[in-house]
Amino acid sequence: MRNIGADVTVVRGDVCHMDDVIQTVSACNKTGYAIGGVIQAAMRIDADLFHRMSSEAWHSVIQPKVTGSWNLHKALEVYDATLDFFLMTSSVSGSVGSAAESNYCAANAFLDGFARWRRAQNKTAVSVGLGMIEEVGFLHENPEIEAMQLRKGIQPLNESEFLQIIDLAIAESMSERNNATCYDLTKPHILTGMEPMGIREGFEGYSSGVGEFAATDPRMAIIAAAMTAHGATESAKPHAKDLEHLAANIPWLKNVNLHAMASLISKIDAPSLEIGALALIRERFALMLLTVPDEIDNHRLLIDFGVDSMLGAEFRTWLWNAFRVDISFLNILSSGQTLATLARKVAENLAVKG
Ligand SMILES: NC(=O)c1ccc[n+]([C@@H]2O[C@H](COP(=O)([O-])OP(=O)(O)OC[C@H]3O[C@@H](n4cnc5c(N)ncnc54)[C@H](OP(=O)(O)O)[C@@H]3O)[C@@H](O)[C@H]2O)c1
């Protein structure tokens, strides 16, 4: 930054401590320049299932975003009339959720609401919901979380695209500051990584499950509609009547619920419900491990594949979405569990409950 002419002062501190934030604001004042804006990008990650997440883990992730943004808001209050931007880096996870990251999702959802709240008071603010940055940053250094986002159909941004989005967010904040008498409440939240065409490509790459949240979550109605307009999966989904008609000729498919029927329709050549379910489960499991189904041994213990709490939670959600069968997280991770035993459980459950 210095090489391109910037005057840089580094102040080390914790954004959750008001004293440190005030010290940073004083350091800015000492430079003799006016404070133009703030970029709040602090974050911590401490993932676990919500029901067993410690209070410490919850707060360590919440605080840098919630307390930190609040401290910046208070410390810069006297500059609000002249601030050009108050930019917070949020995440798409705050909008669509993320397995085993309830604390991180809540912290980012706060930023999105906080930006709106500041704007409602005629103060500049924007929360940029980032999908996933390639090449640099936390996700790049944590490929397992990056892989999870990819499986959800979220498209990565490279460094240059990321900088363009930050540029756009700042430019928009500045133009509003200069032109508007009152802020546009539709603009404080910019969501990235969820372009319909990219999600559609995600759907097309895999036979089941990718990005189903986008098609089924009512908050994603606009994206789902854009995908449907382009002839994507939603329009290709069979209707209940078509499903029942198809199932009438396949004895093992007849009595299962409609969700399971829609999922299993691609496996109608299977000789039984259990074998059809196993093929589908194996396909999904391979996708989660970013490999091909042929590489997966149906009788190998799931824990030996390195299934951790994040993968386990994601797998459980998928099993529910695909079959409406609830297999507990502990059950998935229990010793002795394989894809074959899991498929048997799913088939037994479907046979009993439909
Ligand atoms: N990278 C991505 O793909 C991605 C995707 C979605 C959203 N985001 C968002 O983008 C932002 C930056 O992400 P990143 O990938 O650059 O993460 P990162 O490499 O982990 O950087 C986070 C920074 O926050 C600092 N920090 C944490 N707690 C702090 C506190 N209490 N006070 C002051 N600083 C604190 C950390 O400092 P220390 O290292 O000194 O602890 C670290 O420098 C985050 O808000 C994140 O939610 C990133």
Coordinates of all heavy atoms in Angstrom, one line a residue, residues 47-115:
A47 N -16.5 -23.7 14.7 CA -17.7 -24.5 14.2 C -18.0 -25.7 15.1 O -17.1 -26.3 15.6 CB -17.5 -24.9 12.8
D48 N -19.3 -25.9 15.3 CA -19.8 -27.1 16.0 C -21.3 -27.2 15.8 O -21.9 -26.2 15.5 CB -19.4 -27.1 17.5 CG -19.3 -28.5 18.0 OD1 -19.8 -29.5 17.4 OD2 -18.7 -28.7 19.1
L49 N -21.9 -28.3 16.1 CA -23.3 -28.4 16.1 C -23.9 -27.5 17.2 O -23.4 -27.4 18.3 CB -23.8 -29.8 16.3 CG -23.4 -30.8 15.2 CD1 -23.8 -32.2 15.6 CD2 -24.0 -30.4 13.9
F50 N -25.0 -26.9 16.9 CA -25.6 -25.9 17.8 C -25.8 -26.5 19.2 O -25.5 -25.9 20.2 CB -26.9 -25.3 17.2 CG -27.5 -24.3 18.1 CD1 -26.9 -23.1 18.3 CD2 -28.8 -24.6 18.7 CE1 -27.5 -22.1 19.2 CE2 -29.3 -23.6 19.5 CZ -28.7 -22.4 19.8
H51 N -26.4 -27.7 19.2 CA -26.8 -28.3 20.5 C -25.6 -28.6 21.4 O -25.8 -28.8 22.6 CB -27.7 -29.5 20.4 CG -27.0 -30.7 19.8 ND1 -27.0 -31.0 18.5 CD2 -26.4 -31.7 20.5 CE1 -26.3 -32.1 18.4 NE2 -25.9 -32.6 19.5
R52 N -24.4 -28.6 20.9 CA -23.3 -28.9 21.7 C -22.2 -27.8 21.7 O -21.1 -28.0 22.1 CB -22.7 -30.3 21.4 CG -22.1 -30.4 20.1 CD -21.4 -31.8 19.9 NE -20.5 -31.7 18.8 CZ -20.1 -32.7 18.1 NH1 -20.5 -33.9 18.4 NH2 -19.2 -32.6 17.2
M53 N -22.6 -26.7 21.1 CA -21.7 -25.6 21.0 C -21.5 -24.9 22.3 O -22.5 -24.6 23.0 CB -22.2 -24.5 20.0 CG -21.3 -23.4 19.7 SD -21.9 -22.3 18.5 CE -21.6 -23.2 17.0
S54 N -20.3 -24.7 22.8 CA -20.1 -24.1 24.1 C -20.4 -22.6 24.0 O -20.4 -22.0 22.9 CB -18.6 -24.2 24.5 OG -17.8 -23.5 23.6
S55 N -20.7 -22.0 25.2 CA -21.1 -20.6 25.2 C -19.8 -19.8 24.7 O -19.9 -18.8 24.0 CB -21.4 -20.2 26.6 OG -21.5 -18.9 26.8
E56 N -18.7 -20.3 25.1 CA -17.4 -19.6 24.7 C -17.3 -19.6 23.2 O -17.0 -18.5 22.6 CB -16.2 -20.4 25.3 CG -15.0 -19.6 25.3 CD -13.8 -20.5 25.7 OE1 -14.0 -21.6 26.2 OE2 -12.7 -20.0 25.5
A57 N -17.6 -20.7 22.5 CA -17.5 -20.8 21.0 C -18.5 -19.8 20.4 O -18.2 -19.1 19.5 CB -17.7 -22.2 20.6
W58 N -19.7 -19.8 21.0 CA -20.8 -19.0 20.4 C -20.3 -17.5 20.5 O -20.3 -16.8 19.5 CB -22.1 -19.2 21.2 CG -23.1 -18.2 20.9 CD1 -23.5 -17.1 21.5 CD2 -24.0 -18.4 19.8 NE1 -24.5 -16.5 20.8 CE2 -24.9 -17.2 19.7 CE3 -24.2 -19.4 18.8 CZ2 -25.9 -17.1 18.8 CZ3 -25.2 -19.2 17.8 CH2 -26.1 -18.0 17.8
H59 N -19.8 -17.1 21.7 CA -19.5 -15.7 21.9 C -18.2 -15.3 21.1 O -18.1 -14.1 20.6 CB -19.4 -15.3 23.4 CG -20.8 -15.3 24.0 ND1 -21.7 -14.3 23.7 CD2 -21.4 -16.2 24.8 CE1 -22.8 -14.6 24.4 NE2 -22.6 -15.7 25.1
S60 N -17.3 -16.2 21.0 CA -16.0 -15.8 20.4 C -16.3 -15.5 18.9 O -15.5 -14.7 18.3 CB -15.0 -16.9 20.5 OG -15.3 -18.0 19.7
V61 N -17.3 -16.1 18.3 CA -17.6 -15.8 16.9 C -18.5 -14.6 16.7 O -18.4 -13.8 15.8 CB -18.2 -17.1 16.2 CG1 -18.7 -16.8 14.8 CG2 -17.1 -18.2 16.3
I62 N -19.5 -14.5 17.7 CA -20.4 -13.4 17.6 C -19.8 -12.1 17.9 O -20.0 -11.1 17.2 CB -21.5 -13.6 18.7 CG1 -22.4 -14.8 18.3 CG2 -22.4 -12.4 18.9 CD1 -23.4 -14.6 17.3
Q63 N -18.9 -12.1 18.8 CA -18.4 -10.7 19.3 C -17.6 -9.9 18.3 O -17.9 -8.7 18.2 CB -17.5 -10.9 20.6 CG -18.5 -11.0 21.8 CD -17.7 -11.2 23.1 OE1 -16.5 -11.4 23.1 NE2 -18.5 -11.2 24.2
P64 N -16.7 -10.4 17.6 CA -15.9 -9.6 16.6 C -16.9 -8.9 15.6 O -16.7 -7.7 15.3 CB -15.0 -10.5 15.9 CG -14.9 -11.7 16.8 CD -16.1 -11.8 17.5
K65 N -18.0 -9.5 15.3 CA -18.9 -8.9 14.3 C -19.9 -8.0 15.0 O -20.2 -6.9 14.5 CB -19.6 -10.0 13.4 CG -18.6 -10.7 12.5 CD -19.2 -11.4 11.3 CE -18.1 -12.0 10.5 NZ -18.1 -11.5 9.1
V66 N -20.5 -8.5 16.1 CA -21.6 -7.8 16.7 C -21.0 -6.7 17.6 O -21.2 -5.5 17.3 CB -22.5 -8.7 17.6 CG1 -23.6 -7.9 18.3 CG2 -23.2 -9.7 16.6
T67 N -20.2 -7.0 18.7 CA -19.7 -6.0 19.5 C -18.7 -5.1 18.8 O -18.7 -3.9 18.9 CB -18.9 -6.7 20.7 OG1 -19.8 -7.7 21.2 CG2 -18.6 -5.7 21.8
G68 N -17.9 -5.7 17.9 CA -17.0 -5.0 17.1 C -17.6 -3.9 16.2 O -17.2 -2.7 16.2
S69 N -18.7 -4.3 15.6 CA -19.4 -3.3 14.7 C -20.1 -2.2 15.5 O -20.1 -1.0 15.2 CB -20.4 -4.0 13.8 OG -19.8 -5.0 13.1
W70 N -20.6 -2.6 16.7 CA -21.3 -1.7 17.6 C -20.2 -0.7 18.1 O -20.5 0.6 18.1 CB -21.9 -2.4 18.7 CG -22.7 -1.5 19.6 CD1 -22.3 -1.1 20.9 CD2 -23.9 -0.8 19.3 NE1 -23.2 -0.2 21.4 CE2 -24.2 0.0 20.5 CE3 -24.8 -0.7 18.2 CZ2 -25.3 0.9 20.5 CZ3 -25.9 0.1 18.3 CH2 -26.1 0.9 19.4
N71 N -19.0 -1.2 18.5 CA -18.0 -0.2 19.0 C -17.6 0.7 17.9 O -17.4 1.9 18.1 CB -16.8 -1.1 19.4 CG -17.0 -1.7 20.8 OD1 -18.0 -1.4 21.4 ND2 -16.2 -2.7 21.1
L72 N -17.4 0.3 16.6 CA -17.0 1.2 15.5 C -18.2 2.2 15.3 O -17.9 3.4 15.1 CB -16.8 0.4 14.3 CG -15.5 -0.5 14.3 CD1 -15.5 -1.5 13.1 CD2 -14.3 0.4 14.2
H73 N -19.4 1.7 15.4 CA -20.5 2.6 15.2 C -20.5 3.7 16.3 O -20.7 4.9 15.9 CB -21.8 1.8 15.3 CG -23.1 2.5 15.6 ND1 -23.7 3.2 14.6 CD2 -23.8 2.6 16.7 CE1 -24.8 3.8 15.2 NE2 -24.9 3.4 16.5
K74 N -20.3 3.4 17.5 CA -20.3 4.4 18.6 C -19.1 5.3 18.5 O -19.2 6.5 18.6 CB -20.3 3.7 20.0 CG -21.5 2.9 20.4 CD -22.8 3.7 20.3 CE -23.1 4.6 21.5 NZ -24.4 5.3 21.2
A75 N -17.9 4.7 18.2 CA -16.7 5.5 18.2 C -16.7 6.5 17.0 O -16.0 7.5 17.1 CB -15.4 4.6 18.1
L76 N -17.4 6.2 16.0 CA -17.4 7.0 14.8 C -18.7 7.9 14.7 O -18.8 8.6 13.7 CB -17.3 6.2 13.5 CG -15.9 5.5 13.3 CD1 -16.0 4.5 12.2 CD2 -14.8 6.5 13.1
E77 N -19.5 7.9 15.7 CA -20.8 8.6 15.7 C -20.6 10.1 15.4 O -21.3 10.6 14.6 CB -21.4 8.5 17.1 CG -22.9 8.0 17.0 CD -23.4 7.5 18.4 OE1 -22.7 7.8 19.4 OE2 -24.4 6.9 18.4
V78 N -19.5 10.7 15.9 CA -19.4 12.1 15.6 C -19.0 12.4 14.2 O -19.0 13.5 13.7 CB -18.4 12.8 16.6 CG1 -18.9 12.9 18.0 CG2 -17.0 12.0 16.6
Y79 N -18.6 11.3 13.5 CA -18.1 11.5 12.1 C -19.2 11.1 11.1 O -19.0 11.2 9.9 CB -16.9 10.7 11.8 CG -15.7 11.0 12.7 CD1 -15.5 10.2 13.8 CD2 -14.9 12.2 12.5 CE1 -14.5 10.5 14.7 CE2 -13.9 12.4 13.4 CZ -13.7 11.6 14.5 OH -12.7 11.9 15.4
D80 N -20.4 10.6 11.6 CA -21.4 10.1 10.7 C -21.8 11.0 9.6 O -22.1 10.6 8.5 CB -22.6 9.6 11.6 CG -22.5 8.2 12.0 OD1 -21.9 7.4 11.2 OD2 -23.1 7.8 13.0
A81 N -21.9 12.3 9.9 CA -22.3 13.2 8.9 C -21.4 13.3 7.7 O -21.8 13.7 6.6 CB -22.5 14.6 9.5
T82 N -20.1 13.0 7.9 CA -19.2 13.1 6.8 C -18.6 11.8 6.3 O -17.9 11.7 5.4 CB -18.0 14.0 7.3 OG1 -17.5 13.5 8.5 CG2 -18.4 15.5 7.4
L83 N -18.9 10.7 7.0 CA -18.3 9.4 6.6 C -18.8 9.0 5.2 O -20.0 9.1 4.9 CB -18.8 8.3 7.5 CG -18.1 7.9 8.8 CD1 -18.6 6.6 9.4 CD2 -16.6 7.8 8.6
D84 N -17.9 8.6 4.3 CA -18.3 8.2 3.0 C -18.8 6.7 3.0 O -19.7 6.4 2.2 CB -17.1 8.3 2.0 CG -16.9 9.7 1.6 OD1 -17.8 10.5 1.6 OD2 -15.7 10.1 1.4
F85 N -18.2 5.9 3.8 CA -18.7 4.5 3.8 C -18.5 3.9 5.2 O -17.6 4.3 5.9 CB -18.0 3.7 2.7 CG -16.5 3.7 2.8 CD1 -15.9 2.7 3.5 CD2 -15.7 4.6 2.2 CE1 -14.5 2.6 3.6 CE2 -14.4 4.6 2.3 CZ -13.7 3.6 3.0
F86 N -19.3 2.9 5.5 CA -19.2 2.1 6.7 C -19.5 0.7 6.2 O -20.6 0.2 6.1 CB -20.2 2.5 7.7 CG -20.1 1.9 9.1 CD1 -19.7 2.6 10.2 CD2 -20.3 0.5 9.3 CE1 -19.5 2.1 11.5 CE2 -20.2 0.0 10.6 CZ -19.8 0.8 11.7
L87 N -18.4 0.0 5.7 CA -18.5 -1.3 5.0 C -18.2 -2.4 6.0 O -17.2 -2.5 6.6 CB -17.6 -1.3 3.8 CG -17.8 -2.5 2.8 CD1 -17.4 -2.0 1.4 CD2 -16.9 -3.7 3.2
M88 N -19.1 -3.4 6.0 CA -18.9 -4.6 6.8 C -18.9 -5.8 5.9 O -19.7 -5.9 5.0 CB -20.0 -4.8 7.8 CG -20.0 -3.6 8.8 SD -21.5 -3.6 9.8 CE -22.7 -2.9 8.7
T89 N -17.9 -6.7 6.1 CA -17.8 -7.9 5.3 C -18.6 -9.0 6.0 O -18.3 -9.5 7.0 CB -16.4 -8.4 5.1 OG1 -15.7 -8.5 6.3 CG2 -15.6 -7.5 4.1
S90 N -19.7 -9.3 5.3 CA -20.6 -10.4 5.9 C -20.4 -11.6 5.0 O -19.5 -11.7 4.2 CB -22.1 -9.8 5.8 OG -23.0 -10.8 6.1
S91 N -21.3 -12.6 5.2 CA -21.2 -13.8 4.4 C -22.6 -14.3 3.9 O -23.6 -14.0 4.6 CB -20.6 -14.9 5.3 OG -20.8 -16.2 4.7
V92 N -22.6 -15.0 2.8 CA -23.8 -15.6 2.3 C -24.4 -16.5 3.3 O -25.6 -16.8 3.4 CB -23.5 -16.2 0.9 CG1 -22.6 -17.5 1.1 CG2 -24.7 -16.6 0.2
S93 N -23.5 -17.0 4.2 CA -24.0 -18.0 5.3 C -25.0 -17.3 6.2 O -25.9 -17.9 6.7 CB -22.9 -18.4 6.2 OG -21.9 -19.1 5.4
G94 N -24.9 -16.0 6.3 CA -25.9 -15.2 7.1 C -27.3 -15.3 6.5 O -28.3 -15.0 7.2
S95 N -27.4 -15.5 5.2 CA -28.7 -15.6 4.5 C -29.1 -17.0 4.2 O -30.3 -17.3 4.3 CB -28.5 -14.9 3.1 OG -28.2 -13.5 3.3
V96 N -28.2 -17.9 3.9 CA -28.7 -19.3 3.6 C -28.3 -20.3 4.6 O -28.7 -21.5 4.4 CB -28.2 -19.7 2.2 CG1 -28.5 -18.7 1.1 CG2 -26.7 -19.9 2.2
G97 N -27.6 -19.9 5.6 CA -27.2 -20.9 6.7 C -26.0 -21.8 6.3 O -25.6 -21.8 5.1
S98 N -25.5 -22.4 7.3 CA -24.3 -23.3 7.0 C -24.2 -24.3 8.1 O -24.3 -23.9 9.3 CB -23.1 -22.4 6.9 OG -21.9 -23.1 6.8
A99 N -24.0 -25.6 7.7 CA -24.0 -26.6 8.7 C -22.9 -26.4 9.8 O -21.8 -26.0 9.4 CB -23.8 -28.0 8.1
A100 N -23.3 -26.5 11.0 CA -22.3 -26.4 12.2 C -21.7 -25.0 12.3 O -20.7 -24.8 13.0 CB -21.2 -27.4 12.0
E101 N -22.3 -24.0 11.7 CA -21.8 -22.6 11.9 C -22.9 -21.6 12.3 O -23.0 -20.5 11.8 CB -21.2 -22.1 10.6 CG -19.9 -22.8 10.2 CD -19.2 -22.2 9.0 OE1 -19.9 -21.8 8.1 OE2 -18.0 -22.1 9.1
S102 N -23.8 -22.1 13.2 CA -24.9 -21.2 13.7 C -24.4 -19.9 14.2 O -25.0 -18.9 13.9 CB -25.7 -22.0 14.7 OG -24.9 -22.4 15.8
N103 N -23.3 -19.9 14.9 CA -22.7 -18.7 15.5 C -22.3 -17.7 14.4 O -22.6 -16.5 14.4 CB -21.6 -19.0 16.5 CG -20.6 -20.0 16.0 OD1 -20.7 -20.5 14.8 ND2 -19.6 -20.3 16.8
Y104 N -21.6 -18.3 13.4 CA -21.1 -17.4 12.3 C -22.3 -16.9 11.4 O -22.3 -15.7 11.0 CB -20.2 -18.3 11.4 CG -19.5 -17.5 10.3 CD1 -18.6 -16.5 10.5 CD2 -19.7 -17.9 9.0 CE1 -18.0 -15.8 9.5 CE2 -19.1 -17.2 7.9 CZ -18.2 -16.2 8.2 OH -17.6 -15.5 7.2
C105 N -23.3 -17.8 11.2 CA -24.5 -17.3 10.5 C -25.2 -16.2 11.2 O -25.6 -15.2 10.6 CB -25.4 -18.5 10.3 SG -24.8 -19.8 9.3
A106 N -25.3 -16.4 12.5 CA -26.0 -15.3 13.3 C -25.3 -14.0 13.3 O -25.8 -12.9 13.1 CB -26.2 -15.8 14.8
A107 N -23.9 -14.1 13.4 CA -23.1 -12.9 13.5 C -23.2 -12.2 12.1 O -23.3 -10.9 12.1 CB -21.6 -13.3 13.7
N108 N -23.2 -12.9 11.0 CA -23.4 -12.2 9.7 C -24.8 -11.7 9.5 O -24.9 -10.6 8.9 CB -22.9 -13.2 8.6 CG -21.4 -13.3 8.6 OD1 -20.7 -12.3 8.4 ND2 -20.9 -14.5 8.8
A109 N -25.8 -12.4 9.9 CA -27.1 -11.9 9.8 C -27.3 -10.6 10.6 O -28.0 -9.7 10.1 CB -28.1 -13.0 10.3
F110 N -26.6 -10.5 11.7 CA -26.6 -9.3 12.5 C -26.1 -8.1 11.6 O -26.6 -7.0 11.5 CB -25.8 -9.4 13.8 CG -25.5 -8.0 14.4 CD1 -26.5 -7.5 15.2 CD2 -24.4 -7.3 14.2 CE1 -26.3 -6.2 15.8 CE2 -24.2 -6.1 14.7 CZ -25.2 -5.5 15.6
L111 N -24.9 -8.4 10.9 CA -24.3 -7.3 10.1 C -25.3 -6.8 9.0 O -25.4 -5.6 8.8 CB -23.0 -7.8 9.4 CG -21.9 -8.2 10.3 CD1 -20.7 -8.5 9.4 CD2 -21.5 -7.1 11.3
D112 N -26.0 -7.8 8.4 CA -27.0 -7.4 7.4 C -28.1 -6.5 7.9 O -28.5 -5.5 7.3 CB -27.6 -8.7 6.7 CG -26.5 -9.6 6.2 OD1 -25.3 -9.1 6.0 OD2 -26.7 -10.8 6.0
G113 N -28.6 -6.9 9.1 CA -29.6 -6.1 9.7 C -29.1 -4.8 10.3 O -29.8 -3.7 10.2
F114 N -27.9 -4.8 10.7 CA -27.3 -3.6 11.3 C -27.0 -2.5 10.2 O -27.3 -1.3 10.5 CB -25.9 -4.0 12.0 CG -25.3 -2.9 12.7 CD1 -25.9 -2.3 13.8 CD2 -24.0 -2.5 12.4 CE1 -25.3 -1.2 14.5 CE2 -23.4 -1.4 13.2 CZ -24.0 -0.8 14.2
A115 N -26.6 -3.0 9.0 CA -26.4 -2.0 7.9 C -27.8 -1.3 7.6 O -27.8 -0.1 7.4 CB -25.9 -2.8 6.7

